């Protein structure tokens, strides 16, 4: 029986963070130096999980479509980019400081913690409420005045540190697409509608990074800027929305934990005419996973004004130049990974007294870092080990399975199953004496154990590749 152990809900995140560290998915950034808040490092299994998640995205949104153009833009951009977009003036979160400890907090988070919904409130309104309600810091101290805090990480490029050398680590990947709009149009002459897509790092000097990889200072995004004629925005918004749901299905996460939130007038960015947030039921609450926004022609117009470069598009049908409108589906990589892991985390109560509960990650085979692990039944029988190695090597030769097959001969079979369960390996393949022909009926067959059901089946060796590849397509 699967069981998420609701009574232990409060420490689910601790268990997930500990499993991620123990099994080599995710480590604290700069850990041996005491860490660096808001940074996390992906270990050998984490990076494979991340690659699978990104590859599924790239396949669905770029390679499987004829209307998408993938790019990879520089993280550092001319500072004028961020002036044109309004980020220099206004990419900020409301901050308040504990006057005693000097610790800084997000005002909206403090209000939420005190039962106030801050949605749609101005900085002034929030500041007034903090004072009216005499809200103290979490350490019980007096708070200062609320102010806006710019989240962009500033740096200087080159040897001279003056205003002209200022640059920012990009706070979103989106602008890389807008500044390359003309390049892609000039090289490929795409017909509207079409999109530019990229996956890459972004940086935000978050006031309070928290909840493991949910809110970090160095993040990764997968974003699309999809250009349309103004009159067609609504139908394209709908089809991208559907594709976002299809991607969520690709990930194999429980759709019941994903919810759309229509963002109200007062809460949308000023340029957006419609925004839907996709929220996920994380162990620490329902929070934003992705966003889908209709950004009108705001971005191309702002960059045309800022750069003094014509960013209009010649619409052959109308025989006129137009500024396309834009729809932006935006996905956080880290939040996707966290949703996938949190949804997959399963605890099965011990069947017998004295046994540990079984912990397993119920990853869809498509995202699982390891698709199958191959074991010899016994470690001390060279003929079993040799045959198991042969099976392992032949599976690894397949270009789709390469890198996603493991070999394990440590400890007994039960321990190996547990290890593979914890890293979410869907199939465990065991080479035993029957495989070698001890029972001629079963010669060249192996047992394949299913992670979720624990059921074992005998499968002919020549069917293994198909079985595993079928699971990856499903
Ligand atoms: P939030 O309200 O949670 O701060 P946001 O609305 O500022 O998020 P966007 O600017 O819309 O986020 O960014 C697009 C996506 O990038 C988000 O949906 C999320 O998946 C991801 N993202 C944004 N900020 C962070 C962060 N600090 N850490 C991890 N992922 C992030």
């Amino acid at each position: 029986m699967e069981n998420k152990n609701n009574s232990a809900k409060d420490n689910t995140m601790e268990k997930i963070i500990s499993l991620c560290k123990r099994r080599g998915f995710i480590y604290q950034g700069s850990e041996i130096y005491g860490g660096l808040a808001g940074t996390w490092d992906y270990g050998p299994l984490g990076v494979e999980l991340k690659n699978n998640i990104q590859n599924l995205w790239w396949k669905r949104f770029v390679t499987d479509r004829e209307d998408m153009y993938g790019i990879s833009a520089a993280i550092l951009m001319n500072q004028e980019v961020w002036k044109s977009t309004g980020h220099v003036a206004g990419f900020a979160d409301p901050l308040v400081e504990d006057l005693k400890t000097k610790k800084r907090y997000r005002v909206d988070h403090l209000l939420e913690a005190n039962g106030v919904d801050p949605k749609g409130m101005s900085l002034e309104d929030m500041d007034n409420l903090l004072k009216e309600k005499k809200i103290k810091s979490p350490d019980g101290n007096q708070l200062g005045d609320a102010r806006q805090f710019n989240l962009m990480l500033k740096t200087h490029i080159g040897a001279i540190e003056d205003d002209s050398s200022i640059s920012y680590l990009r706070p979103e990947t989106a602008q890389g697409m807008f500044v390359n709009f003309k390049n892609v149009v000039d090289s490929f002459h795409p017909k509207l509608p079409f999109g530019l897509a990229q996956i890459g790092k972004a940086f935000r000097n978050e006031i309070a990074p928290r909840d493991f990889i949910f809110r970090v200072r160095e993040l990764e995004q997968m974003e699309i800027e999809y250009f349309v004629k103004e009159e067609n925005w609504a139908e394209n918004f709908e089809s991208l929305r559907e594709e976002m749901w299809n991607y969520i299905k690709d990930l194999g996460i429980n759709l019941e934990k994903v919810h759309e939130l229509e963002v109200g007038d007062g809460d949308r960015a000023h340029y957006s005419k419609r925004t839907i947030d996709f929220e996920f039921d994380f162990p620490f609450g329902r929070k934003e996973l992705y966003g889908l926004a209709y950004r009108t022609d705001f971005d191309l117009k702002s960059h045309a004004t800022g750069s003094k470069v014509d960013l209009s598009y010649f619409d052959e049908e109308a025989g006129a130049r137009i500024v396309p409108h834009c729809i932006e589906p935006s996905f956080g990589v880290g939040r996707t990974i966290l949703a996938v892991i949190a949804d997959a985390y399963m605890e099965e109560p011990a069947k017998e007294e004295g046994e540990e509960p079984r912990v397993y990650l119920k990853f869809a085979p498509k995202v699982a870092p390891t698709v199958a692990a191959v074991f010899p039944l016994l470690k001390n029988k060279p003929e079993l080990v040799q045959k198991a190695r042969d099976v392992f090597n032949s599976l690894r030769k397949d270009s789709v399975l390469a890198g996603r097959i493991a070999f394990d001969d440590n400890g007994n079979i039960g321990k190996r199953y547990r290890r593979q369960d914890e890293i979410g390996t869907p199939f465990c393949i065991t080479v035993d004496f029957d495989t070698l022909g001890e029972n001629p009926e079963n010669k060249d067959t192996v047992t394949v154990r299913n992670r979720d059901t624990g059921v074992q089946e005998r499968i002919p060796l020549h069917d293994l590749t198909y079985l595993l590849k079928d699971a990856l397509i499903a």
Side-chain angles (χ1 to χ4, degrees), residues 204 206 214-216 219 221 288-291 330 332 335:
R204 297 183 181 189
E206 293 282 351
F214 177 82
R215 187 173 300 287
V216 293
L219 55 133
Q221 293 180 316
E288 177 176 331
L289 180 64
Y290 305 141
S330 178
R335 290 190 189 178

Side-chain angles (χ1 to χ4, degrees), residues 84-85 175 178 181 192 225-233 269-274 293-306 309-313 321-328:
S84 299
T85 57
Q175 302 308 325
F178 294 119
F181 171 80
L192 287 173
E225 304 306 330
Y226 197 70
F227 298 100
V228 301
K229 290 188 190 179
E230 182 177 4
E231 62 271 27
N232 298 334
W233 79 266
H270 62 92
Y271 47 76
S272 169
K273 283 219 175 133
R274 186 172 183 200
Y294 167 39
R295 300 173 66 112
T296 68
D297 54 2
F298 171 80
D299 307 274
L300 286 181
K301 277 198 169 151
S302 307
H303 285 304
T305 308
V309 172
D310 180 6
L311 296 180
S312 65
Y313 169 96
R321 297 201 78 84
I322 58 167
V323 177
H325 280 228
C326 181
I327 299 163
E328 178 192 76

Side-chain angles (χ1 to χ4, degrees), residues 25 40 68 107 140 148 151 172 209 212 238 256 292 396 403:
F25 283 94
W40 296 90
M68 288 286 191
V107 181
Q148 292 291 3
L151 299 183
E172 58 181 28
F212 192 30
E238 273 317 307
E256 282 174 16
L292 173 65
R396 281 206 308 169

Side-chain angles (χ1 to χ4, degrees), residues 4 254-259 279-282 286 342-344:
K4 268 245 151 122
N254 180 352
L255 299 182
E256 282 174 16
K257 291 187 194 156
V258 183
H259 313 271
E279 299 188 314
F280 181 79
D281 293 327
F282 289 99
R286 186 173 293 181
D343 183 52

